[in-house]
């Protein structure tokens, strides 16, 4: 019997498309994307081959962190539309035979949420314990200090002093995002009711669960190890990720979901131990269907510090990309396949080349690789047309992300505005800043605002100049375009789902393979095999079909011509056949 990880499920073979509401499509020319705008483009998504639409936070929010600071789980951010619009969106998605998932942001709320407003009203408030409050500490000189030395993910201390009640509250993100106290059972029940059951009853098909491993903190809230003696606060993920009650809480959440036919995918950050991850995604554990592993997209970053760069090679990229393919083999676990989301730079700019001569071939190569790997595939808006990073010429004033601005201001303060330090900060933002994925979607090339809104409107964020060349309008129906190639890869993946979705991954070890050439195989239950080869470089590479695969046929090619004996820069191919297993190695 095959491991349950190979049991067929709609959420395993479905192709997911992530929408960032503010930047997808503006229907009313206020410069902000909205839910009616999403509805207007559902036919486009259906034609692309999308099965599951993932809508990033669209709930009522002050928008300190682009909607990840929720003030009401049961209402909609006003510029995005109404609750009725959201209900229409769910229906419109279902009417097209697709499914829809929402973001579930429940590690924290906005400080404007009614729960927190009540919690901070008094130490005797019935909801005081729904958040994490602690008294101050004092040094030998009587100076008030936070309860511990934790740093938030936005570079500031993770504690904010509340003058009214004379205590600190914890926030591992912005001060406007206070952490909920999951140890409080009454609080957990309210979370499940308002943020989960409410939407499940309206027809939502599942959730992408934000910061899914942060709900349980080490109970004593100890100081974090001192890694930077010059800083007032320290990285503390070791104390607020994967805490002692995490599996208990996720089991409770699974019970809420069980009556519904749903999918769950968790954001499992700062978790590098595969044994810990497997505890979350084993089907037998009944916690999560899958998680996002950040090994690949975190390449070049120092753990816990996005903007501190470390060198990495294509060989490193290949290793991190394929690691989870092998680890789930023979288990009941499932994994994800992605290179982009709302928190990442564009994959072409990061892992291939966004130079004009290589941009389209890079996009096609990455689509071939992603579409032939095992795991649920996630595409981020604009990835299907090959959108690229913000250019280095943009000043900090054009960036919107709280994390980017916080980093820049911290460097400015620490170096007294040193020009070289600020230039280096901007170089970091240009590589891994979150704003790269948040610029308006590029629908048209001739209009000033890329068809995101009319040219009479002012978009909430600057439009990329590259929209003149990279847009949906000039790729739709054009045979050699990135968009049409993505359609082809999605269709191929579905036509061969037993092989590419459910097939056994084969790590191929061949002599004399260049470090910049990626080669892997798949095998389905009927003995059909595939071979994916990709040249991830700007140079031609020598390569010939292995002897054991001589009878294989060419299924996919990312270039117009295939040259025996070598691969063109950023060329990818897929072969299929039923050759002998020699040369395959798991």
């Amino acid at each position: 019997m095959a491991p349950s990880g190979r049991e067929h499920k709609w959420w395993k073979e479905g192709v997911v498309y992530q929408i960032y509401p503010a930047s997808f499509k503006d229907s009313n020319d206020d410069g902000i994307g909205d839910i009616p705008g999403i509805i207007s483009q559902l036919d486009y998504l259906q034609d692309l081959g999308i099965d599951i639409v993932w809508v990033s936070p669209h709930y009522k929010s002050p928008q300190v962190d682009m909607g990840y600071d929720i003030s009401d789980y049961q209402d909609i951010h006003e510029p995005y539309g109404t609750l009725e619009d959201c209900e229409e969106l769910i229906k419109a998605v279902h009417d097209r035979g697709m499914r829809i998932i929402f973001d579930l942001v429940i590690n924290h709320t906005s400080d404007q949420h009614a729960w927190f407003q009540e919690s901070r009203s008094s130490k005797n408030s019935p909801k005081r314990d729904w958040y994490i409050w602690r008294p101050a500490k004092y040094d030998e000189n009587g100076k008030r200090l936070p309860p511990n030395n934790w740093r938030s993910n936005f570079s500031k201390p993770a504690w904010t002093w509340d003058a009214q009640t004379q205590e600190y509250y914890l926030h591992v993100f912005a001060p406007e995002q206070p952490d909920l106290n999951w140890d409080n059972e009454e609080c957990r029940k309210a979370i499940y009711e308002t943020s989960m059951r409410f939407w499940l009853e309206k027809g939502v098909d599942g959730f992408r669960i934000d910061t899914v491993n942060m709900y349980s903190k080490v109970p004593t809230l100890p100081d974090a190890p001192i890694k930077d003696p010059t800083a007032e606060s320290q990285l503390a993920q070791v104390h607020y990720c994967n805490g002692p009650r995490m599996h208990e809480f996720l089991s409770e959440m699974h019970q809420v979901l069980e009556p519904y036919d749903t999918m769950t995918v968790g954001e499992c950050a700062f978790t590098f131990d595969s044994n810990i991850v497997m505890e979350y995604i084993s089907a037998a554990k009944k916690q999560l269907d899958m998680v996002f592993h950040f090994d690949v997209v975190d390449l070049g970053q120092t753990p816990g510090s996005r903007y501190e760069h470390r060198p990495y090679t294509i060989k490193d990229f290949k290793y991190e990309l394929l690691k989870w393919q092998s680890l789930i083999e023979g288990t009941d676990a499932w994994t994800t396949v992605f290179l982009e989301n709302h928190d990442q730079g564009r994959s072409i700019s990061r892992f291939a080349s966004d130079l004009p001569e290589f941009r389209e071939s890079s996009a096609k190569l990455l689509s071939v690789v992603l579409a032939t790997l095992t795991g649920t595939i996630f595409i981020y808006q604009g990835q299907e047309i090959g959108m690229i990073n913000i250019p280095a010429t943009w000043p900090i004033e054009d960036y919107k992300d709280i994390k980017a601005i916080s980093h820049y201001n911290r460097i400015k303060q620490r170096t007294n505005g040193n020009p070289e330090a600020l230039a280096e900060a901007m170089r970091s933002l240009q590589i891994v800043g979150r704003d790269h994925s948040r610029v308006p979607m590029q629908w048209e090339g001739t209009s000033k605002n890329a068809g995101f809104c009319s040219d009479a409107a002012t978009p909430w964020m600057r439009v990329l100049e590259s929209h003149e060349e990279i847009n949906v309008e000039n790729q739709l129906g054009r045979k050699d375009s990135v968009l049409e190639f993505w359609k082809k890869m999605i269709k191929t993946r579905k036509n061969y789902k037993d092989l590419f979705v459910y097939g056994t991954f084969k790590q191929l070890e061949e002599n004399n393979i260049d470090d910049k050439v990626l080669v892997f195989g798949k095998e389905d239950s009927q003995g059909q095999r595939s071979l994916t080869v990709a040249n991830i470089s700007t140079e031609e590479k020598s390569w010939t079909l292995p002897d054991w695969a001589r009878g294989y046929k060419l299924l996919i090619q990312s270039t117009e011509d295939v040259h025996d004996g070598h691969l063109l820069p950023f060329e990818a191919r897929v072969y299929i056949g039923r050759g002998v297993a020699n040369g395959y190695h798991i």
Side-chain angles (χ1 to χ4, degrees):
M1 179 179 293
S4 58
R6 293 297 185 261
E7 289 180 1
H8 287 212
K9 299 280 189 180
W10 61 265
W11 44 265
K12 291 180 180 179
E13 56 201 60
V15 177
V16 186
Y17 187 96
Q18 182 187 358
I19 289 175
Y20 201 66
S23 300
F24 189 62
K25 182 67 175 176
D26 173 20
S27 72
N28 59 1
D29 270 359
D30 63 356
I32 301 171
D34 46 46
I35 295 171
I38 296 173
I39 294 172
S40 73
Q41 297 299 330
L42 289 180
D43 289 341
Y44 165 77
L45 298 183
Q46 186 179 30
D47 183 57
L48 177 58
I50 300 305
D51 305 289
I52 304 161
V53 178
W54 159 20
V55 184
S56 292
H58 50 284
Y59 312 100
K60 190 172 183 180
S61 166
Q63 298 290 309
V64 169
D65 186 22
M66 290 304 297
Y68 284 90
D69 49 319
I70 297 171
S71 57
D72 190 339
Y73 290 107
Q74 299 177 325
D75 203 355
I76 306 301
H77 181 49
E78 190 171 343
Y80 292 167
T82 64
L83 189 59
E84 291 72 26
D85 290 330
C86 200
E87 291 169 339
E88 173 57 29
L89 171 63
I90 296 169
K91 180 179 183 300
V93 168
H94 289 163
D95 285 348
R96 288 165 174 79
M98 299 186 289
R99 302 184 191 242
I100 187 166
I101 65 172
F102 284 175
D103 245 276
L104 186 60
V105 187
I106 49 180
N107 173 72
H108 48 266
T109 67
S110 164
D111 62 352
Q112 300 305 305
H113 196 291
W115 297 348
F116 187 72
Q117 292 291 302
E118 186 173 339
S119 181
R120 81 186 310 177
S121 67
S122 165
K123 288 182 181 179
N124 299 318
S125 165
K127 288 188 173 60
R128 183 66 171 185
D129 193 45
W130 285 33
Y131 294 83
I132 301 172
W133 295 90
R134 293 292 186 274
K137 294 196 310 187
Y138 294 88
D139 66 14
E140 62 274 12
N141 299 317
K143 180 183 177 181
R144 188 185 75 230
L145 300 172
N148 64 31
N149 67 349
W150 293 8
R151 180 185 302 171
S152 83
N153 282 279
F154 293 155
S155 302
K156 297 179 180 180
W159 297 90
T160 290
W161 177 251
D162 180 63
Q164 181 174 333
T165 57
Q166 296 288 295
E167 283 192 329
Y168 284 92
Y169 64 86
L170 177 69
H171 51 87
V172 299
F173 292 95
E176 297 86 356
Q177 294 170 293
D179 279 40
L180 289 157
N181 179 16
W182 276 71
D183 288 328
N184 184 301
E185 183 179 4
E186 186 181 358
C187 176
R188 294 201 306 275
K189 289 180 178 177
I191 292 169
Y192 303 152
E193 193 62 38
T194 61
S195 67
M196 296 176 68
R197 285 195 184 93
F198 178 82
W199 290 107
L200 291 166
E201 287 297 317
K202 289 187 179 297
V204 169
D205 299 295
F207 300 101
R208 175 268 186 184
I209 308 178
D210 189 60
T211 61
V212 76
N213 58 338
M214 296 185 185
Y215 310 152
S216 174
K217 279 75 171 174
V218 173
T220 56
L221 304 181
D223 276 346
I226 296 176
K227 298 291 181 67
D228 182 359
T230 66
E232 62 176 330
S233 56
Q234 305 293 322
L235 300 174
Q237 291 88 351
V238 65
H239 294 318
Y240 64 73
C241 289
N242 310 309
R245 299 186 68 185
M246 269 311 318
H247 297 297
E248 175 191 345
F249 297 155
L250 290 178
S251 294
E252 280 186 359
M253 290 172 62
H254 190 273
Q255 290 173 15
V256 175
L257 294 162
E258 218 159 20
Y260 308 88
D261 180 18
T262 63
M263 68 171 277
T264 54
V265 53
E267 180 191 31
C268 196
F270 309 114
T271 305
F272 310 104
D273 186 331
S274 59
N275 293 320
I276 294 176
V277 174
M278 292 298 283
E279 287 288 308
Y280 287 119
I281 60 177
S282 166
K285 299 289 185 181
K286 295 186 176 181
Q287 294 184 21
L288 298 167
D289 293 325
M290 56 193 138
V291 297
F292 291 120
H293 315 285
F294 295 97
D295 311 68
V296 176
V297 294
D298 283 349
L299 275 170
Q301 302 173 32
T302 300
S305 186
R306 170 186 289 259
Y307 303 113
E308 293 180 24
H309 289 291
R310 299 178 297 171
Y312 73 90
T313 65
I314 294 299
K315 187 175 181 180
D316 297 327
F317 171 72
K318 288 160 55 177
Y319 172 78
E320 298 295 354
L321 181 69
L322 301 182
K323 181 169 68 177
W324 281 98
Q325 297 288 299
S326 299
L327 285 174
I328 65 167
E329 289 300 336
T331 75
D332 65 350
W334 194 245
T335 191
T336 54
V337 179
F338 77 103
L339 286 177
E340 295 189 18
N341 63 29
H342 62 289
D343 284 334
Q344 307 299 331
R346 292 292 183 173
S347 56
I348 295 172
S349 299
R350 289 201 61 201
F351 305 120
S353 174
D354 57 14
L355 292 173
E357 63 267 35
F358 297 125
R359 191 175 61 214
E360 289 196 0
S361 55
S362 293
K364 292 175 182 179
L365 175 142
L366 292 174
S367 72
V368 170
V369 171
L370 293 176
T372 54
L373 287 172
T374 301
T376 301
I377 185 170
F378 289 78
I379 301 170
Y380 183 76
Q381 65 182 46
Q383 184 177 359
E384 77 279 12
I385 58 171
M387 285 181 64
I388 59 176
N389 275 4
I390 291 169
T393 53
W394 279 27
I396 187 62
E397 289 77 19
D398 284 328
Y399 283 75
K400 300 291 186 181
D401 175 36
I402 183 175
K403 193 165 188 171
I405 295 168
S406 175
H407 170 71
Y408 183 88
N409 289 338
R410 182 166 64 94
I411 298 299
K412 186 176 183 180
Q413 183 179 17
R414 287 179 63 175
T415 66
N416 197 29
N418 180 279
E420 291 183 3
L422 293 179
E424 179 58 34
M426 291 305 299
R427 279 192 289 272
S428 296
L429 294 182
Q430 207 278 321
I431 298 170
V432 295
R434 302 197 298 179
D435 282 311
H436 297 300
S437 57
R438 302 179 179 191
V439 295
M441 176 67 179
Q442 295 168 189
W443 296 102
E444 300 170 5
T446 54
S447 62
K448 179 180 71 173
N449 290 329
F452 164 71
C453 57
S454 80
D455 286 352
T458 303
W460 75 278
M461 188 176 185
R462 182 175 171 180
V463 173
L464 282 181
E465 291 84 349
S466 62
H467 80 274
E468 294 178 4
E469 294 83 34
I470 305 171
N471 61 75
V472 171
E473 184 180 48
N474 73 14
Q475 294 190 28
L476 203 57
R478 180 162 59 84
K479 183 181 177 182
D480 64 341
S481 71
V482 173
L483 176 59
E484 294 300 326
F485 192 82
W486 259 109
K487 288 182 187 179
K488 179 180 180 180
M489 288 311 306
I490 291 171
K491 186 176 181 179
T492 300
R493 181 176 174 85
K494 292 179 179 182
N495 288 342
Y496 291 87
K497 69 178 181 181
D498 288 343
L499 184 60
F500 296 129
V501 178
Y502 296 108
T504 300
F505 174 78
K506 303 286 186 177
Q507 177 68 62
L508 302 185
E509 295 184 354
E510 297 183 69
N511 294 330
N512 302 319
I513 283 292
D514 191 288
D515 283 347
K516 295 180 180 179
V517 176
L518 172 67
V519 185
F520 63 87
K522 303 290 283 292
E523 182 176 7
D524 68 19
S525 59
Q526 303 302 310
Q528 181 166 236
R529 298 185 177 95
S530 68
L531 172 66
T532 298
V533 56
N535 173 17
I536 313 175
S537 78
T538 59
E539 309 155 359
E540 285 191 9
K541 295 293 180 182
S542 297
W543 187 82
T544 55
L545 199 63
D547 289 342
W548 53 264
R550 285 298 177 186
Y552 286 24
K553 72 173 184 178
L554 181 64
L555 179 68
I556 292 291
Q557 59 191 81
S558 65
T559 57
E560 288 296 315
D561 300 311
V562 172
H563 303 273
D564 192 28
H566 69 271
L567 298 166
L568 296 174
F570 297 106
E571 178 184 357
R573 305 176 196 168
V574 181
Y575 296 87
I576 61 169
R578 295 182 179 274
V580 295
N582 295 336
Y584 268 147
H585 175 69
I586 297 177

